[in-house]
Structures are given as structure tokens and as C-alpha cells.
Amino acid sequence: MLEMSGIVEDSIVDGPGIRVAYFAQGCPHHCPGCHNPETWPFEGGTPMDEETLAAIALANPLCRGVTFSGGEPFAQAEGFARLAGILKAKGYEVASYTGYTFEQLLQGTEAQKALLSRLDVLIDGPYQESRRSLELVFRGSSNQRILDVPASLAAGRAVEQTSGRWHGVY
Ligand code: SF4
């Protein structure tokens, strides 16, 4: 079961293509300048089970990818790992935002590592207002990285996603 703050069924700003964006309720990072401070409290979300959430993407024939955002998806890692597993098995590209760095998640809980292992793409790091740029694609601040998760896990270090799709080139 996941506590959700919202779902956008046809997002074009949370990754390439038309994606379902799943917004978690609750975030421990409290970045100054955060655009979604209403997602910070861990209470007040809408509880939804993983099958119901997956069915939203599966019902959209235009959607081949999904993005987890928030809030902090890795604060509900067990549920998001389960959701990621359902969608990966159906061939979806699964991406997640996180306020943690990849290096922190490598040292995280078992559930956080399980979620990481089921992702294709991770946009990592907290939002830093001093490094904000409107020219960045799919990122708010330049400290954040768009990582190729399978390549990063294989290498044991952060490997940037080189596909043009994730850098505004189609
Ligand atoms: S991690 Fe994201 S949702 Fe959480 S405070 Fe930072 S910008 Fe806001």
C-alpha cells in the first residue's frame, strides 16, 4: 500500500514521452524552494494499492513509461519497488526522482536497494535553489543527475544516462 499525493496520467514533463507520474505523499528532505511542499507531511495522502496504481498505466495505450516523484518515493520504497516490479514485467520504462543521492541509496535499506534495482532511470539529489536552471531538461537544479541505473549498479558508481531522449533530443 502506498500513500499518494497525486497521479498525472499523461505527463510530458517527468521524462520522455507520455508518462504516468506517481507522486508520493511524504518527504523528509524539506529542500528550500521545493515546488511541492504540500507533499512533505507523511499523513494526509490517499492510500492506494500497487495493483490499482499499475492499472492506471496499463489502461493508457499511449504510455510506455512511468515516473515516481513526490514527495520522496524512497521513503515508501517497499511499495514503490512492488509497483516498479509489476510495470517492469509489462515492459514499461520505470524512472524515479529522489532527494537522496545514488551513493546514499547504495547504503540504504534493503527496500531502497530493491527499488533501485528495479529502475531504469534515477534523477537523484535534493533540489538546490542556488543551482536552479530553467534550461535543464527533467531536472530542477544542476546538482541533480539523470542516471542509467542498470549501468550504475553494474559499475558500482553513478553512470549518467546518455540517451538523447532524457536530454530533450528526440
Ligand atoms: S526532495 Fe523533492 S519533494 Fe522533497 S523537499 Fe526536495 S524538492 Fe521537495
Side-chain angles (χ1 to χ4, degrees), residues 2-3 9 42 52 55 71 93 119 123 134 146 162 165-166:
L2 285 158
E3 291 287 327
E9 297 191 25
F42 280 91
T52 302
E93 181 189 56
L119 296 177
I123 302 101
L134 296 176
I146 302 177
T162 55
R165 294 171 60 243
W166 279 92

Side-chain angles (χ1 to χ4, degrees), residues 10-168:
D10 52 0
S11 170
I12 56 167
V13 297
D14 297 294
I18 296 172
R19 310 178 75 86
V20 175
Y22 297 100
F23 292 87
Q25 182 69 39
C27 183
H29 303 295
H30 297 190
C31 309
C34 169
H35 288 193
N36 299 318
E38 68 281 1
T39 67
W40 291 0
F42 280 91
E43 57 282 345
T46 303
M48 297 181 73
D49 66 63
E50 293 83 353
E51 286 75 16
T52 302
L53 289 164
I56 294 167
L58 297 173
N60 183 345
L62 298 177
C63 164
R64 298 307 307 155
V66 301
T67 302
F68 305 154
S69 188
E72 173 55 79
F74 281 83
Q76 299 186 62
E78 199 174 325
F80 275 107
R82 195 166 139 70
L83 177 58
I86 297 170
L87 292 167
K88 284 283 285 181
K90 298 284 186 185
Y92 285 73
E93 181 189 56
V94 183
S96 184
Y97 285 86
T98 181
Y100 297 108
T101 63
F102 174 76
E103 291 78 8
Q104 288 173 320
L105 291 174
L106 282 183
Q107 306 297 323
T109 65
E110 290 307 311
Q112 288 175 331
K113 286 188 265 190
L115 172 54
L116 196 58
S117 74
R118 291 177 188 171
L119 296 177
D120 297 294
V121 175
L122 182 76
I123 302 101
D124 81 334
Y127 173 65
Q128 293 180 353
E129 207 162 20
S130 63
R131 298 174 75 175
R132 170 178 186 255
S133 169
L134 296 176
E135 291 176 9
L136 297 168
V137 180
F138 306 134
R139 295 179 291 158
S141 58
S142 61
N143 62 294
Q144 296 169 321
R145 303 170 295 185
I146 302 177
L147 301 178
D148 179 331
V149 177
S152 298
L153 291 175
R157 62 176 173 77
V159 176
E160 303 251 359
Q161 171 64 250
T162 55
S163 165
R165 294 171 60 243
W166 279 92
H167 297 279

